[in-house]
Amino acid sequence: MSVHKKLMQARVNLLSIDLKKSGRNTYQNYSYFELGDFIPHIQKIFNDVGLCGVVSFNTEYAQLCITDVDDGTVIVITSPMAEAALKGAQPIQLMGSIQTYQRRYLWMAAMELTEHDTIDMDPPKLNDPLEEAPPKKVEPKPEPVKKTPVPLRMEGRDDKSWHLIVEKEPGDSSESWIAAVVDITKMGLAETHDEAEVMKLFTNNRIIFDRLKLENVERYTALMGALKTRKEELKG
């Protein structure tokens, strides 16, 4: 049996298990899979079908190598690394958070696990500088503006706090860059403790969020909704 056939068998075996989502995003009101929800099941299934999965990291990519233990053939799944600098987090803590995110997404991609899609959510109404401008009178559409490629490195204003850095490799898709922006922003939101820190996260990295809006307005709107919701939660 080939490594592809074994992986497909593992995916089918996982479907028979009633996985529970223990993670909870209170900003956008949805549940998500954490590593502990599926890794023990996957490891048992891999052992049964004859597969071994190993995650590794370098400065550019995270990789999940799935090896057929019988014939040594390999399937490799990769994800570009993202970088962030957040107030109050030690470098080793930040690295651990990024690696945990990468491990979760790599395994979910390998096993075709699905969960909440932020594109489909209905973001809360915004009422402050994070709010979108009110609808304008419909006018004839201008000629579409040709977008320049996403820069290989973008970073917010560095005032030693709430400073995000997003990097991509030549040839990476804009979708991978968008996902990296959303992920590191959510990581930052999880570290905020008051309204001022949420606003600092937004204003310091406005250049990145403006580019996100240009690339995908739906993901931008959803992320602004998450910022607004977190700000309301911390009010008072």
Side-chain angles (χ1 to χ4, degrees):
M1 187 184 297
S2 69
V3 65
H4 294 87
K5 181 67 174 178
K6 287 184 176 182
L7 178 58
M8 194 64 233
Q9 183 62 56
R11 289 172 176 173
V12 172
N13 291 353
L14 188 63
L15 287 176
S16 66
I17 300 173
D18 184 19
L19 298 177
K20 304 296 184 182
K21 297 178 180 180
S22 63
R24 186 67 185 169
N25 186 313
T26 58
Y27 317 142
Q28 297 171 297
N29 194 31
Y30 67 87
S31 298
Y32 59 89
F33 287 119
E34 293 187 336
L35 280 171
D37 298 332
F38 55 80
I39 282 293
H41 301 292
I42 292 175
Q43 299 294 9
K44 183 179 185 305
I45 292 171
F46 269 35
N47 185 62
D48 292 341
V49 302
L51 293 176
C52 177
V54 177
V55 176
S56 60
F57 307 92
N58 59 37
T59 57
E60 298 178 351
Y61 291 98
Q63 292 187 330
L64 169 58
C65 294
I66 300 174
T67 305
D68 185 329
V69 298
D70 296 317
D71 64 15
T73 54
V74 176
I75 294 175
V76 179
I77 298 173
T78 64
S79 175
M81 293 294 286
E83 182 181 345
L86 300 175
K87 177 183 177 182
Q90 296 297 321
I92 189 66
Q93 294 173 314
L94 188 58
M95 180 177 66
S97 297
I98 293 172
Q99 290 182 352
T100 297
Y101 266 82
Q102 290 284 23
R103 287 180 63 209
R104 185 165 72 91
Y105 289 134
L106 286 170
W107 278 111
M108 288 181 63
M111 302 306 291
E112 295 291 350
L113 290 173
T114 60
E115 60 180 7
H116 176 90
D117 189 344
T118 55
I119 293 179
D120 295 331
M121 70 169 291
D122 183 16
K125 179 177 172 56
L126 311 177
N127 297 308
D128 60 17
L130 300 179
E131 184 175 356
E132 291 297 293
K136 296 181 179 180
K137 182 179 179 181
V138 177
E139 298 178 355
K141 288 186 178 181
E143 289 296 319
V145 178
K146 184 177 181 181
K147 292 191 299 185
T148 58
V150 174
L152 297 182
R153 178 185 174 92
M154 290 191 71
E155 58 182 294
R157 184 172 69 246
D158 187 2
D159 66 352
K160 309 306 180 184
S161 66
W162 307 110
H163 167 222
L164 302 184
I165 302 172
V166 186
E167 296 181 329
K168 67 185 289 288
E169 292 297 312
D172 285 348
S173 67
S174 62
E175 184 57 36
S176 66
W177 182 88
I178 291 168
V181 172
V182 172
D183 287 345
I184 64 173
T185 302
K186 288 181 178 178
M187 289 169 57
L189 280 176
E191 298 295 330
T192 55
H193 299 93
D194 54 44
E195 294 177 77
E197 289 185 345
V198 176
M199 288 302 300
K200 198 76 170 176
L201 177 63
F202 172 74
T203 56
N204 277 12
N205 302 287
R206 185 63 183 266
I207 187 173
I208 297 175
F209 298 138
D210 286 346
R211 181 67 197 209
L212 174 63
K213 184 178 181 181
L214 180 63
E215 293 296 320
N216 190 310
V217 69
E218 290 87 359
R219 297 293 288 273
Y220 168 83
T221 302
L223 192 59
M224 293 302 101
L227 286 162
K228 173 61 178 177
T229 300
R230 181 58 172 167
K231 186 170 178 287
E232 290 297 320
E233 287 181 347
L234 296 173
K235 184 174 292 185

